[in-house]
Amino acid sequence: MSTLIHTSAGYGGLASGDTKPTDKFQVKGTDLGYLFTGGKGAWVGGLFGDTFNKPDPHGATPAGGDQWRSPVLGRTSNRDFLTRGAVWDNFAGAPNTGGRAKEIFPYRHVGANVGQVNSGNFDAFTVIPNDAIQVPDGRYFAMGFRVREWLSNPTQAMCWTISNAWFWSDEPNADTWQVGRYRDNLNRLYEWDVWDARGKFFQNASFLMMPNDDNLYVFGSREGRKTGVGTEADGVYLRRAHYNNCFTDTEWEYWGWTGDRWEWGKNITPTPILQPLTPGGFIGELNVQRIAGKIVLTYADTVAGSVALTADRPDGVWSAPTVLVSRVQSAAQYAPSVHPWNTNLEDAYFHLSAWPQISVPGVFQTSLAYCTQGWRGSLVSDSGIVGSLSTKSLSLDTSTMNRDDAARAIQRVIDASAEVNPEIKEAAGE
C-alpha cells in the first residue's frame, strides 16, 4: 500500500509535521533525490536538484544568502528504510555533524538562453541531475540536463534544455566530480545535444547495468516534460555501450524497430519502447533500478500520477504500469525514484518530489512545500495487459487506441493498482 512515510529532504510543509531532516546541511528546500548504490555497496547516494538555504525557493533571502546549488549529493546507509525512510548520514562537502552541502558538478549558473552546446563548459541556468552510477572499476558516472529556460506552454510542461551533460568521479565516496570529455578529443566536453537526431531522446535519462554484462544501458526521454502526438510525442528510449567506451559517440548502440523486428545497432534510429500512459502526455523525469531480479522503471504520468513498470531485461517486454501515488494523493508530484536496496517488489520504499505552490501572476508566488518525500508501496500489479516484441511498443500503448478503448485500458491499470495500493482509490473517495 502506498503510504507517505516521511519528508526525506527539504521542506515538507507546515501540515506534514516536518522535522527539517536536512536543515543542518543547509539543504532546507530541495527536490529529486535520485537514488544509486555507492561505495561499492556501502551506501546509497541521493542526487538532489535545485537546493536552497531556505524552505521556499520563492521566499525571502535569509542571512547568509540563498545558497542556490544543483546538484547536491547525500549519502544514506540505514537498512530499515521501509519503516524509517532514508536517513542522511552526510552530504558531499558536509560531514554528519552538519555544514554546507556543496554543489558537486563543475559549472556556472548563468542567465536563461545563455549556455551553449560545444562551448567548452557546461554553464547553464542550472544543471538538474538525471542519475549516477558506480561502474565495475569503481568510477562514478553522472548525467544532468542543462536548463536553457524554464517555461510552460501547450507542448512543454517544464523546461527547454541545452544538452544532457556527463560528469565523472574516481573518488571512493564521489566527493569531487569532473566534466566528462570525449575519449578521442579531450578538448571537447561530452554531452548529448538536444538538437541531435538521437540525443534529443535522452535529455532526461537513467543508468542501468545488468549482471554479467559490461554494457551501460541508458533509458531516456525528451527534454523537460514534453507533450504531444506523432513526431512530437514523448516516450522512453534505450541505448547501450561498454562502460569503458561510453565517452565515444560511435560506440553507442540503439534499440529500435526496423520495420519487422526489434534490434540493436549503431546506425539505428531509436524507437520508443514505452509510451506515456496518458495519450499525448509526458514521460519527463524517469528512473530505473534492478530490484529482486526485475528492472523497475518509474515516472510521473501526466494524469494518473507516479507509475512503475517492470521487465526482465532492458530490451524485453514490459508490464503495464502500476500506479504508485495518484494525482489525488499528491497533485504536484514528480520524479519517483526507487531505493536500490529494496528486496520485495510488493513492499518497497521510493522517493517522490512534491512542490505545491500558490501564485497570483505578477503579484506573489509561494511554496506550500518543496521537498523529497519517502513513500512505501507495491511496485507491481496485474492488469492482465502485456506487451509483445512483435509490436512497436513493448508495453501498453494507448496512443494507438480510440478514446473509449484507451479509457478502458487506463481504468484496468488503475483498478489493478488499487488492489495493491488501495490508497489510490481511498484518496479519491471511492
Side-chain angles (χ1 to χ4, degrees):
M1 297 186 296
S2 290
T3 304
L4 177 61
I5 297 177
H6 70 149
T7 298
S8 178
Y11 170 56
L14 295 175
S16 69
D18 182 19
T19 57
K20 299 179 171 53
T22 51
D23 272 20
K24 71 176 182 179
F25 303 111
Q26 296 181 26
V27 178
K28 296 181 180 179
T30 194
D31 66 353
L32 304 183
Y34 292 125
L35 298 164
F36 68 97
T37 301
K40 296 186 176 180
W43 47 266
V44 169
L47 277 179
F48 295 91
D50 283 331
T51 298
F52 302 89
N53 187 39
K54 59 183 183 181
D56 182 356
H58 307 300
T61 300
D66 291 344
Q67 298 184 29
W68 177 24
R69 294 145 286 158
S70 179
V72 298
L73 169 62
R75 304 183 191 91
T76 177
S77 60
N78 65 299
R79 295 278 179 174
D80 55 352
F81 50 83
L82 281 175
T83 53
R84 295 178 65 204
V87 179
W88 300 100
D89 301 327
N90 52 61
F91 275 70
N96 58 8
T97 54
R100 181 181 181 273
K102 68 179 182 179
E103 181 174 85
I104 61 169
F105 290 170
Y107 74 101
R108 295 181 305 158
H109 293 265
V110 294
N113 298 300
V114 173
Q116 298 179 11
V117 174
N118 198 23
S119 59
N121 60 61
F122 283 152
D123 295 351
F125 187 81
T126 188
V127 175
I128 302 299
N130 276 322
D131 200 6
I133 191 170
Q134 187 172 32
V135 297
D137 64 10
R139 287 177 297 166
Y140 296 88
F141 298 152
M143 302 175 288
F145 63 81
R146 300 168 63 202
V147 173
R148 175 159 52 97
E149 180 184 8
W150 297 111
L151 83 165
S152 180
N153 63 34
T155 64
Q156 179 55 254
M158 184 168 65
C159 70
W160 297 132
T161 64
I162 302 166
S163 65
N164 181 4
W166 280 59
F167 304 85
W168 67 280
S169 174
D170 59 0
E171 295 188 354
N173 290 317
D175 269 314
T176 303
W177 292 75
Q178 303 179 50
V179 294
R181 298 180 182 273
Y182 277 81
R183 189 174 183 179
D184 56 358
N185 182 2
L186 296 179
N187 292 319
R188 186 180 175 194
L189 304 192
Y190 195 72
E191 58 189 325
W192 292 339
D193 182 354
V194 71
W195 299 109
D196 180 76
R198 292 185 288 193
K200 67 181 180 181
F201 298 126
F202 298 90
Q203 295 301 295
N204 294 291
S206 187
F207 291 122
L208 180 73
M209 289 196 74
M210 295 288 288
N212 305 311
D213 184 349
D214 287 334
N215 282 306
L216 179 64
Y217 292 87
V218 177
F219 296 76
S221 68
R222 300 184 68 163
E223 63 183 322
R225 298 173 193 151
K226 180 76 173 64
T227 59
V229 297
T231 59
E232 293 302 310
D234 202 357
V236 177
Y237 299 81
L238 180 61
R239 64 197 289 173
R240 71 180 183 187
H242 191 289
Y243 70 88
N244 273 329
N245 299 328
C246 60
F247 289 97
T248 303
D249 275 348
T250 55
E251 293 296 323
W252 286 93
E253 292 184 307
Y254 301 84
W255 182 238
W257 178 259
T258 59
D260 59 357
R261 61 179 176 174
W262 288 89
E263 60 182 309
W264 286 101
K266 293 182 179 179
N267 297 316
I268 285 176
T269 299
T271 304
I273 61 173
L274 303 173
Q275 305 281 357
L277 176 59
T278 300
F282 53 72
I283 296 290
E285 305 98 315
L286 74 166
N287 191 256
V288 182
Q289 303 284 353
R290 188 169 181 272
I291 307 295
K294 289 282 189 179
I295 301 169
V296 179
L297 183 148
T298 52
Y299 73 93
D301 182 73
T302 312
V303 176
S306 292
V307 299
L309 301 91
T310 61
D312 292 327
R313 62 181 193 273
D315 53 6
V317 174
W318 289 76
S319 72
T322 293
V323 180
L324 306 178
V325 179
S326 71
R327 293 283 179 186
V328 175
Q329 291 172 282
S330 178
Q333 61 172 283
Y334 55 103
S337 169
V338 177
H339 197 298
W341 286 356
N342 281 302
T343 58
N344 184 352
L345 293 168
E346 296 179 353
D347 188 13
Y349 174 84
F350 58 93
H351 270 170
L352 184 62
S353 294
W355 192 6
Q357 302 175 63
I358 298 175
S359 65
V360 176
V363 181
F364 77 94
Q365 189 170 10
T366 187
S367 302
L368 302 178
Y370 180 54
C371 66
T372 300
Q373 299 172 335
W375 289 74
R376 180 179 181 179
S378 177
L379 305 175
V380 291
S381 61
D382 185 10
S383 65
I385 301 172
V386 295
S388 169
L389 277 174
S390 65
T391 63
K392 284 191 176 183
S393 182
L394 301 180
S395 182
L396 172 64
D397 183 4
T398 57
S399 69
T400 62
M401 302 176 182
N402 63 46
R403 182 177 299 179
D404 290 342
D405 287 345
R408 282 191 287 268
I410 292 171
Q411 190 60 51
R412 284 175 65 184
V413 167
I414 293 172
D415 289 344
S417 301
E419 290 293 323
V420 295
N421 293 320
E423 289 85 353
I424 292 169
K425 285 199 171 182
E426 290 173 8
E430 299 182 18

